[in-house]
Amino acid sequence: LTIKDFTEESIQQRIFEIDRLLATSREQNSPSIPVFYTEAKTGRYTAQNAILQGYHKSVRYAALRGCYEYDLEAAHQNILVQLLDREQINFPELNVLREYVANKQRTREQLETDLNTHIDTVKEILQALTYGAQLTSNKRQKIYESCEGDEELIDRVINNPWLKQFASTFEITREHLVGDNKVITNAVGIKRKPESKAKAMAHILQGYERLILDVLIANSEPNDVALLVHDCIVYYTRKSRTELTRIVKENTGFELQFSENEY
């Protein structure tokens, strides 16, 4: 277990999650676990008490064994590129984002090598920058947390040329898509007065994420959706990724791809 990066604390957390599921099953006198969702400020579906959605991946996979997860490939980055294309907005730094969307896995693996870290850390860093984190060693910034305070890793991250370009892309994008607007209405009609342009961008992105999930749910068979996990959907039965792409394209205009993972 230690070789697989399990710690005593993380094992205890997983045991707690399993006990919680078993207790719920006993109370309901059913092998099924009900999951109720609330609507976050951005419209994102959030499972109450984090049931399954917020649990460790290993617990979620075990609980939903035999189900199929369909995850949007580079969802937020891809949506941003297509939003800018719709408005005919282009700038040199955007090529970095296009490169990432086109070659997500290869780019992540290259960063894993360049930064000498685990690919999960790379994913965290990229997601943090997408949501407005700054390339700084400041302990209050998400990059510090993603690197778990490893000063040498943080130094490699904030000085990486590719990541510098990646981060600058979002700064420019926020100027184009948010600008001086004080009130932002996202794709599902939710209005907010974000405290910063980064939070305004998150409101926009998560609105489109919710819109896409709504489209998939509306085009699903009753009781076939097992779980919603932000930008991915888990079904009880296998789906055609091409068909999911078609459904999203016809209903939202976005050309998005899905990865498939059997639990």
Side-chain angles (χ1 to χ4, degrees):
L1 289 176
T2 55
I3 291 173
K4 293 182 177 292
D5 294 327
F6 279 80
T7 63
E8 183 178 351
E9 181 182 4
S10 70
I11 292 170
Q12 290 297 333
Q13 289 172 347
R14 286 170 172 82
I15 292 172
F16 171 78
E17 291 166 1
I18 293 167
D19 284 344
R20 198 175 182 182
L21 291 174
L22 292 173
T24 303
S25 179
R26 285 195 296 270
E27 289 171 8
Q28 298 287 328
N29 193 28
S30 167
S32 299
I33 305 296
V35 181
F36 298 96
Y37 299 90
T38 57
E39 186 180 74
K41 292 180 180 179
T42 60
R44 172 178 266 185
Y45 289 122
T46 305
Q48 289 184 5
N49 302 313
I51 297 295
L52 284 175
Q53 187 191 76
Y55 284 5
H56 286 84
K57 185 183 290 187
S58 54
V59 175
R60 191 169 78 240
Y61 276 40
L64 295 173
R65 182 168 180 152
C67 292
Y68 294 85
E69 178 185 273
Y70 293 91
D71 193 358
L72 286 163
E73 294 276 16
H76 294 158
Q77 296 85 3
N78 201 347
I79 287 170
L80 276 181
V81 168
Q82 293 184 51
L83 283 175
L84 291 168
D85 285 345
R86 287 180 184 181
E87 300 296 325
Q88 297 184 321
I89 297 169
N90 198 15
F91 45 89
E93 292 84 353
L94 190 57
N95 290 332
V96 172
L97 201 55
R98 294 187 192 279
E99 175 191 339
Y100 178 69
V101 170
N103 302 289
K104 182 187 73 172
Q105 192 58 32
R106 189 175 70 187
T107 304
R108 286 176 174 177
E109 289 170 356
Q110 184 61 55
L111 286 169
E112 181 184 26
T113 301
D114 293 345
L115 300 175
N116 189 26
T117 188
H118 195 277
I119 199 162
D120 286 342
T121 303
V122 170
K123 293 177 185 177
E124 276 194 43
I125 292 167
L126 292 171
Q127 194 69 355
L129 293 175
T130 300
Y131 275 104
Q134 298 176 4
L135 282 175
T136 173
S137 58
N138 189 316
K139 293 183 179 180
R140 295 182 179 180
Q141 281 290 322
K142 185 67 177 178
I143 296 300
Y144 185 91
E145 180 185 330
S146 298
C147 297
E148 297 182 340
D150 184 332
E151 293 183 4
E152 292 184 358
L153 174 57
I154 293 170
D155 187 64
R156 291 195 295 274
V157 169
I158 64 179
N159 288 296
N160 182 274
W162 192 92
L163 286 176
K164 284 182 179 180
Q165 282 189 280
F166 188 78
S168 67
T169 301
F170 296 104
E171 292 177 12
I172 298 170
T173 299
R174 287 193 289 273
E175 291 300 323
H176 283 292
L177 297 183
V178 178
D180 296 324
N181 293 316
K182 302 300 181 185
V183 178
I184 302 295
T185 303
N186 68 13
V188 288
I190 299 175
K191 294 183 178 181
R192 282 191 69 190
K193 294 181 179 179
E195 307 89 68
S196 66
K197 288 185 179 179
K199 290 187 177 180
M201 183 61 73
H203 185 63
I204 293 170
L205 289 173
Q206 291 182 20
Y208 282 112
E209 172 192 282
R210 157 72 183 277
L211 175 66
I212 291 163
L213 285 183
D214 282 347
V215 164
L216 292 173
I217 293 168
N219 285 273
S220 299
E221 293 294 325
N223 302 318
D224 195 25
V225 177
L227 187 68
L228 305 174
V229 191
H230 304 320
D231 60 354
C232 77
I233 185 167
V234 184
Y235 289 104
Y236 287 108
T237 58
R238 192 173 192 177
K239 304 298 174 190
S240 161
R241 288 184 289 170
T242 302
E243 180 64 9
L244 295 179
T245 294
R246 183 195 64 77
I247 290 169
V248 172
K249 173 70 174 176
E250 288 187 359
N251 288 276
T252 70
F254 289 109
E255 184 78 40
L256 300 172
Q257 308 300 318
F258 290 83
S259 62
E260 179 188 87
N261 190 21
E262 183 178 2
Y263 280 10

